[in-house]
Amino acid sequence: MKKQLKYLATAGLLVALLLAAGCGDDAKDKKEVDKPDIKTEQKTDHKAKPVVVRPQDGKYYRYPSYFNDATKTPKITPEMVKYIDDFASTVEIHPSYKGKFINNSRIKNPDEKIHYISMHAIGPNHNEKIKFKNSKGREVYQQQVYYIYMQSDAATDKLKSVRCSIVEQNPDIPDGKTTYVVRKSFD
């Protein structure tokens, strides 16, 4: 029995030495695992929402309620605001528009070179219930719409052109009339 214990102890010692030396298990087959690069590892917090800033309304213009991201709308500069204010203060806007133009301007793609700013409001004589025939025999309704179109350089936000107009159509002017209040190009 002592002999058997001696052989067993020797065998255990040999196995321990082989394991310590890396033999006996598949340590040769195992590859060393690279540590993750801490700089590129990103922790994602699924609960955190991105911060989105709503475009700011002006004295005479407002964005529709579905415009909720200022990065997707062209910037309105103080120079543009002056043209909007000058035009809006000279016209009477329909009560449903609460005295403001609707700014429907969007940046359609991030690479555009020119931003297009488009605003509109209806006047107090605008009435879709009053219909009449124009000279072409088409049935049209009474219109009074104010438009502001501007173009700005996308890189600098510098104003390139301004056009403020009034479009009217009523039984006295059946084929419509456009009056340009401001029409300027800056080069």
Side-chain angles (χ1 to χ4, degrees):
M1 181 92 170
K2 285 185 181 182
K3 250 186 183 183
Q4 290 174 345
L5 284 176
K6 192 175 181 184
Y7 287 123
L8 193 58
T10 307
L13 182 64
L14 282 173
V15 169
L17 287 173
L18 288 173
L19 286 174
C23 302
D25 69 349
D26 18 52
K28 291 185 240 174
D29 300 333
K30 288 184 183 176
K31 294 180 181 178
E32 196 174 306
V33 178
D34 292 335
K35 292 181 183 177
D37 187 1
I38 296 171
K39 293 177 186 172
T40 59
E41 187 177 355
Q42 296 178 355
K43 293 181 182 179
T44 55
D45 184 9
H46 296 288
K47 294 178 186 176
K49 292 183 180 178
V51 177
V52 177
V53 178
R54 182 171 163 69
Q56 189 174 6
D57 293 344
K59 182 179 177 184
Y60 287 110
Y61 68 90
R62 64 185 170 86
Y63 287 90
S65 59
Y66 56 84
F67 274 33
N68 59 5
D69 190 349
T71 63
K72 296 179 180 176
T73 61
K75 184 178 176 186
I76 304 294
T77 64
E79 184 183 14
M80 293 176 194
V81 168
K82 183 184 179 320
Y83 283 103
I84 297 164
D85 291 356
D86 287 350
F87 180 46
S89 63
T90 62
V91 295
E92 187 182 344
I93 297 174
H94 194 276
S96 66
Y97 276 61
K98 299 176 182 164
K100 294 189 177 193
F101 280 80
I102 304 294
N103 186 350
N104 275 324
S105 311
R106 291 185 189 203
I107 296 173
K108 295 197 175 22
N109 68 60
D111 299 326
E112 63 185 23
K113 305 234 185 282
I114 296 174
H115 291 320
Y116 298 93
I117 295 98
S118 173
M119 299 185 195
H120 73 280
I122 59 174
N125 296 327
H126 189 86
N127 193 336
E128 293 184 13
K129 293 176 184 169
I130 299 175
K131 288 192 172 184
F132 54 91
K133 289 193 177 187
N134 65 10
S135 65
K136 296 175 184 171
R138 284 193 197 150
E139 197 169 67
V140 293
Y141 62 89
Q142 184 168 307
Q143 291 187 56
Q144 187 179 33
V145 186
Y146 309 128
Y147 292 104
I148 300 174
Y149 292 113
M150 293 185 271
Q151 293 180 3
S152 67
D153 185 270
T156 63
D157 294 322
K158 188 170 169 59
L159 197 56
K160 293 181 76 65
S161 70
V162 178
R163 190 175 78 222
C164 302
S165 58
I166 302 169
V167 177
E168 294 178 278
Q169 182 171 260
N170 57 50
D172 298 331
I173 318 168
D175 295 329
K177 173 180 87 171
T178 300
T179 304
Y180 291 101
V181 179
V182 178
R183 206 173 187 177
K184 290 185 178 180
S185 278
F186 310 99
D187 291 322

